Amino acid sequence: MIKVSTKGRYGTRLMLNLARHYNSGNRAVILKNVAEEEEISIRYLEQIIIPLKIYKLVKSIRGAGGGYTLARKPSEITICEILEALEGTCALVDCVEDKDFCDRLPICAAYEIWHEASQILKNYFEKVTLQYVLDLCEKKQKGKAKLRR
């Protein structure tokens, strides 16, 4: 089974948390608060935030009122960018990204399957923005509130 690791899942939750704060006008958030809100270890978030900064998806703000914020609007950041920063490429197998990985590539029929499936996955994640996921969260919250009544 092909799975997104904990790093990718928690990194996406971190980015969604930052996006929520970004949209509410409270842009800079300290990791301790994110850790509490998302119930994720602060130490793990400190590791996850590094590649997100390197890939210029988040930026740090120093001083009073400082913390982390999105580097761009939630509508401009895709899940693909987050996963690539944290997991690497969306390729399902090594040969899709590295043509020199396997000598059998010219005769391998399975390569075509892996290549096409990887492209479908990447195209999907490139379409899904943080804003889209936030909108889904909002719909779920409204649906949850209706169930309580």
Side-chain angles (χ1 to χ4, degrees), residues 64-80:
Y68 291 94
T69 186
L70 297 179
R72 303 187 310 266
K73 296 176 188 174
S75 60
E76 297 172 356
I77 297 174
T78 67
I79 299 301
C80 187

Side-chain angles (χ1 to χ4, degrees), residues 10-11 15 27 39 56-57 66 70 76 85-86 88 95 99 106-107 114 126 143:
Y10 286 7
M15 292 294 286
R27 294 201 175 171
E39 298 176 349
K56 298 188 181 346
L57 297 174
L70 297 179
E76 297 172 356
L86 298 171
C95 63
K99 305 290 187 234
I107 61 167
W114 302 133
E126 284 177 341

Side-chain angles (χ1 to χ4, degrees), residues 10-24 26-40 45 58 68-70 74 82 130 133-134 137:
Y10 286 7
T12 302
R13 285 174 47 196
L14 164 62
M15 292 294 286
L16 284 168
N17 188 289
L18 294 178
R20 250 185 251 105
H21 289 281
Y22 186 95
N23 283 346
S24 69
N26 184 14
R27 294 201 175 171
V29 183
I30 58 173
L31 281 185
K32 181 181 176 220
N33 291 351
V34 175
E36 290 170 4
E37 291 171 14
E38 297 298 326
E39 298 176 349
I40 300 172
L45 288 179
V58 299
Y68 291 94
T69 186
L70 297 179
I82 297 166
L130 282 176
V133 181
L134 283 176
C137 289

Side-chain angles (χ1 to χ4, degrees), residues 112-123:
E112 301 305 324
I113 295 166
W114 302 133
H115 182 267
E116 189 172 337
S118 295
Q119 198 58 50
I120 290 168
L121 189 62
K122 184 175 182 177
N123 289 343

